[in-house]
Amino acid sequence: MTVHSQGAVTSAPQDAPPKSAGLPEAPAPATGAGHEPPRGGRKPLPSGWLPYLLVAPAVLALATLLLYPLIKNVILSLQDINKVEFIQRKYPFAGLDNYTELLGDSAFWTVVVRSFAFTLANVALIMVLGSLIGILLNKLGTKMRLVLSMALVMAWAMPIVASVQVFRWLFDEQFGVMNWVMRTAGFSGYDQHNWMETGLSTMVIVTILVVWGSIPFVALNMYAGLTTVGAELYEAARMDGANGWQTFWKIVFPNLKPFFLITTFLEVIWVFKAFTQVYAMNKGGPDRGSEILPVFAYVEGQSQAHYGLAAAISVLTIVILVVVMSFYFRLILKQEEEQ
């Protein structure tokens, strides 16, 4: 009770009831059936069928665009369909005859070997040159790094067909820049020299084109990865007397090993199915001497009208690529387990 100077008696408000000495506090009333309320106003994660309903449109789109054509292609590879059967709308079942014919054909195995050699050469050059340019980007100043990055992005953004036409002009037999360069340098025999006279020379030109178009992806990713390596690691390597190669092998590569695995994996897939560059350059010629598996399947299907055989080639191409990629999947999983 408080007595004011005027004599009025009022009761003082109390902030909280007094605690009883030695007695435990009464537990707070439960707000639910044995569950604490979510903190920060967050709602619990959805349960039941809701997550599956959310991913269903993406799964349906993938099944429509990828799975259905793949199944139809496998069915087509089991049929003997040529131009006559296609016009008459007859689809005779051939079983595994198309696969047997391919596996017994030396031309098919020649294309397989060429495809692997083409992929190996391109991926090796792309990874080495792209990594070196990525390291260069990391060493350059701001202005020069910006200029080089813009040049890489412009090369990367150029449409494939447009870049093929540029390379065809560079190596043109009559007005090509390369013939002019060789003549200016004093080499003889380059008056109207045909750079695509053989399948090997055509593949070399296509390799230059593919490497040129793929280096920006590796270089920019390499530079982005290098920015995550701490400067103290480089300083420690310099104090230990490590040179540039030792610094890369002992510091950069272990820290960027996931980058190298994933990038190599993507480049193998991209180069192995490089249809546009090879076909637009010389249509797999001369004399089908520059065909790789995707071009081989297209020529058999569209030019030769062997639709069932072409489907079998594409199925075998997918099988070969999956087998090759399985080794990279094992490396990636092993890397994740080590981490």
Side-chain angles (χ1 to χ4, degrees), residues 155-173:
W156 192 16
M158 180 176 287
I160 296 178
V161 176
S163 62
V164 170
Q165 294 304 316
V166 171
F167 270 73
R168 286 179 60 87
W169 172 70
L170 291 174
F171 292 92
D172 184 72
E173 182 177 352

Side-chain angles (χ1 to χ4, degrees), residues 63-309:
T64 304
L65 298 176
L66 297 178
L67 185 59
Y68 176 74
L70 179 61
I71 295 175
K72 292 291 291 184
N73 192 64
V74 172
I75 296 174
L76 180 60
S77 68
L78 301 176
Q79 298 172 337
D80 185 16
I81 302 178
N82 297 314
K83 184 179 294 185
V84 176
E85 288 80 8
F86 182 78
I87 294 175
Q88 296 178 351
R89 296 184 178 274
K90 294 181 180 180
Y91 311 108
F93 182 75
L96 299 177
D97 291 348
N98 291 324
Y99 295 96
T100 304
E101 180 180 350
L102 282 175
L103 296 177
D105 188 2
S106 60
F108 171 75
W109 291 109
T110 300
V111 174
V112 171
V113 173
R114 186 185 299 126
S115 300
F116 275 102
F118 175 75
T119 303
L120 180 62
N122 276 273
V123 172
L125 290 172
I126 290 168
M127 293 303 299
V128 172
L129 297 178
S131 299
L132 291 176
I133 296 177
I135 295 174
L136 178 62
L137 282 171
N138 193 46
K139 297 293 184 180
L140 290 175
T142 304
K143 294 182 179 179
M144 289 303 299
R145 183 187 301 124
L146 179 61
V147 172
L148 182 55
S149 299
M150 290 178 61
L152 291 171
V153 170
M154 291 174 64
W156 192 16
M158 180 176 287
I160 296 178
V161 176
S163 62
V164 170
Q165 294 304 316
V166 171
F167 270 73
R168 286 179 60 87
W169 172 70
L170 291 174
F171 292 92
D172 184 72
E173 182 177 352
Q174 186 174 1
F175 303 105
V177 175
M178 289 304 301
N179 281 338
W180 175 81
V181 170
M182 298 302 289
R183 291 195 305 268
T184 304
F187 293 95
S188 60
Y190 286 93
D191 293 327
Q192 297 186 357
H193 175 71
N194 185 7
W195 290 89
M196 302 183 190
E197 185 177 3
T198 65
L200 179 60
S201 61
T202 303
M203 293 302 292
V204 171
I205 297 174
V206 175
T207 298
I208 297 173
L209 170 62
V210 172
V211 171
W212 172 81
S214 302
I215 281 178
F217 173 75
V218 178
L220 294 174
N221 281 334
M222 181 69 179
Y223 168 67
L226 288 172
T227 58
T228 64
V229 181
E232 65 276 4
L233 297 177
Y234 294 106
E235 184 65 25
R238 282 193 296 267
M239 293 180 63
D240 292 337
N243 55 28
W245 170 251
Q246 291 172 336
T247 302
F248 174 81
W249 190 248
K250 299 295 184 180
I251 302 298
V252 175
F253 184 78
N255 284 276
L256 298 184
K257 191 174 181 181
F259 155 78
F260 285 107
L261 290 176
I262 294 298
T263 307
T264 304
F265 170 78
L266 295 175
E267 289 298 332
V268 168
I269 295 177
W270 192 79
V271 173
F272 198 83
K273 63 181 187 65
F275 167 82
T276 308
Q277 295 91 330
V278 179
Y279 188 79
M281 185 65 70
N282 204 17
K283 296 184 179 180
D287 298 328
R288 307 186 68 174
S290 62
E291 289 181 350
I292 58 176
L293 282 171
V295 179
F296 184 56
Y298 180 82
V299 172
E300 286 293 329
Q302 297 299 320
S303 300
Q304 306 297 326
H306 300 157
Y307 303 108
L309 193 65

